[in-house]
């Protein structure tokens, strides 16, 4: 049997506009299909820029031309759909070009959260574009948004990011995986839903995609959890003259670095935390963090940062 792998794509694999995304995902598809002969693959992805763009467009359209109000969960579903469409199309074309007998399917994925999660009173998840302090202050006043500085890159709107509890479509994902599909699922951390009177209802939030990806990897009993981001290896003292690239992190050392504040909340911290969740659930599995263009090399043990025992 092939090993199972969950690949979590970072924003750098998707771009910041539909046009840029369609161009970038062609390269992303090549990197994913490079692994198709050796692994059964589930692909997850973020949606921070995209869901922010959609939500802003919907609010402006409502304010200016009176279109209906569209909820945040619905905006998340829209972003899942169009990102999945671009990825699915590009992966299908790449499989066809290489004569690989495999299909690709996107599952619109709901993820259950606790409606009383403390995250709803403390928004932390960055979405949308980067702004200057002046632009952020103006939009906060005009629209009531909350902005926070994001890892030295500018100001971004933040929304609630509750902990994922349950992946609703997990059985469908399993079935597709078992039937020779590359599966795209859990996009943007999933469409956030909560139970009210035992019925699912969308909530205004964006679940961290790395945390949902870790849960998905646990649920399908993946052998490998691979997070693809902008850097080849995890670093401490990042972007300083004392920067040090890390080849391997034990859970204990990773927790120490977290306690020391080495990993930023808006960038590397959720990735490290997701990897810890996965390897602590299954101490024989492997978690890896590297860049998109180094994915295959990292899986061959030539680069990337391994988190595990």
């Amino acid at each position: 049997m092939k090993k199972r792998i969950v690949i979590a794509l970072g924003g750098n694999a998707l771009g910041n506009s539909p046009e840029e995304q369609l161009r970038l995902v062609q390269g992303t598809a090549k990197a994913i299909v490079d692994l198709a002969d050796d692994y059964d693959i589930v692909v997850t992805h973020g949606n921070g820029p995209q869901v922010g763009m959609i939500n802003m467009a919907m609010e402006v359209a409502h304010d200016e031309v009176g279109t209906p109000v569209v909820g945040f969960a619905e905006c998340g579903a829209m972003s899942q759909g169009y990102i999945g469409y671009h990825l699915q199309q590009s992966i299908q074309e790449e499989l066809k070009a290489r004569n690989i007998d495999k299909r690709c399917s996107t599952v619109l994925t709901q993820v259950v959260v606790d409606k009383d999660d403390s995250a709803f009173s403390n928004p932390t998840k960055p979405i949308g574009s980067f702004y200057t302090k002046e632009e952020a202050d103006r939009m906060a006043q005009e629209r009531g948004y909350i902005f926070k500085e994001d890892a030295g890159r500018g100001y971004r709107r933040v929304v609630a990011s509750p902990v994922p509890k349950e992946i609703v479509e997990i059985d469908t994902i399993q079935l597709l995986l078992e039937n020779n599909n590359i599966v795209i699922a859990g996009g943007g951390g999933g469409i956030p839903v909560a139970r009210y009177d035992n019925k699912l209802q969308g909530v205004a939030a964006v679940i961290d995609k790395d945390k949902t990806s870790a849960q998905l990897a646990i649920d399908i009993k993946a052998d490998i959890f691979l997070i693809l981001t902008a850097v080849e290896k995890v670093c401490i003292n990042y972007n300083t003259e004392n920067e040090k690239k890390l080849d391997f992190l034990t859970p204990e050392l990773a927790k120490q670095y977290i306690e020391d504040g080495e990993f930023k909340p808006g960038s590397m911290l959720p990735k490290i935390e997701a990897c810890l969740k996965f390897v602590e659930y299954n101490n024989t599995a492997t978690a890896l963090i590297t860049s998109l263009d180094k994915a295959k090399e990292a899986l061959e043990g030539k680069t990337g940062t391994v988190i595990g025992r």
Side-chain angles (χ1 to χ4, degrees):
M1 290 179 62
K2 293 180 181 179
K3 288 187 174 182
R4 286 188 170 185
I5 184 170
V6 171
I7 303 173
L9 298 175
N12 60 309
L14 299 174
N16 293 301
S17 69
E19 295 78 13
E20 183 184 14
Q21 179 173 289
L22 194 55
R23 175 174 54 81
L24 286 176
V25 296
Q26 293 172 3
T28 303
K30 292 180 188 296
I32 291 168
V33 175
D34 281 345
L35 309 176
D37 286 333
D38 299 319
Y39 299 94
D40 290 327
I41 301 168
V42 177
V43 178
T44 66
H45 59 81
N47 73 341
Q50 295 86 355
V51 73
M53 173 189 71
I54 292 168
N55 183 244
M56 174 70 78
M58 291 297 176
E59 290 197 1
V60 169
H62 172 70
D63 292 347
E64 295 189 1
V65 296
T67 59
V69 173
V70 177
F72 208 92
E74 284 74 15
C75 292
M78 290 179 195
S79 70
Q80 241 193 61
Y82 100 78
I83 295 169
Y85 151 63
H86 281 173
L87 278 169
Q88 178 176 302
Q89 184 182 74
S90 296
I91 290 170
Q92 286 170 335
E93 290 297 324
E94 191 64 25
L95 289 168
K96 182 179 177 182
R98 301 192 200 186
N99 294 313
I100 296 174
D101 183 23
K102 213 173 184 77
R103 297 172 295 277
C104 182
S105 300
T106 301
V107 178
L108 218 63
T109 312
Q110 301 172 92
V111 175
V112 179
V113 301
D114 183 348
K115 64 180 181 297
D116 297 318
D117 192 304
S118 61
F120 289 107
S121 58
N122 180 31
T124 58
K125 178 65 178 175
I127 64 166
S129 302
F130 290 90
Y131 298 97
T132 65
K133 180 70 163 61
E134 293 73 19
E135 289 170 331
D137 287 345
R138 175 177 53 79
M139 292 175 68
Q141 185 173 12
E142 290 175 355
R143 297 193 167 272
Y145 294 165
I146 299 171
F147 286 86
K148 291 185 180 178
E149 200 277 328
D150 186 356
R153 297 175 291 182
Y155 286 79
R156 293 177 79 188
R157 181 185 173 190
V158 291
V159 297
S161 185
V163 175
K165 298 291 187 181
E166 176 192 345
I167 297 169
V168 176
E169 287 77 19
I170 192 65
D171 291 343
T172 302
I173 295 164
Q174 287 268 31
L175 189 62
L176 287 166
L177 194 60
E178 290 163 6
N179 283 274
N180 207 31
N181 284 269
I182 293 174
V183 185
I184 302 163
I191 303 163
V193 295
R195 284 196 170 87
Y196 295 85
D197 298 325
N198 211 31
K199 292 183 180 179
L200 295 178
Q201 182 177 318
V203 294
V206 174
I207 305 167
D208 183 85
K209 72 101 167 65
D210 295 313
K211 291 180 180 178
T212 295
S213 301
Q215 187 61 54
L216 179 53
I218 290 167
D219 289 348
I220 67 165
K221 297 180 172 58
D223 302 285
I224 300 168
F225 177 34
L226 174 62
I227 296 181
L228 300 179
T229 186
V231 294
E232 184 175 342
K233 294 184 179 184
V234 176
C235 300
I236 55 171
N237 302 314
Y238 180 66
N239 212 21
T240 71
E241 60 181 16
N242 297 318
E243 178 178 293
K244 179 183 177 182
K245 293 180 172 62
L246 304 174
D247 298 320
F248 186 82
L249 271 172
T250 63
E252 293 76 19
L253 186 55
K255 289 175 184 176
Q256 184 59 58
Y257 284 142
I258 289 172
E259 192 175 318
D260 294 342
E262 285 288 353
F263 308 126
K264 300 297 182 186
S267 53
M268 191 55 71
L269 179 60
K271 296 172 176 55
I272 297 293
E273 290 176 335
C275 289
L276 285 173
K277 179 177 180 177
F278 176 65
V279 299
E280 289 182 337
Y281 180 85
N282 182 356
N283 59 18
T284 65
T286 301
L288 270 166
I289 298 176
T290 193
S291 57
L292 176 68
D293 60 324
K294 298 292 183 180
K296 193 168 185 179
E297 290 178 52
L299 288 165
E300 292 169 349
K302 297 175 181 177
T303 190
T305 301
V306 176
I307 296 93
R309 298 289 179 186

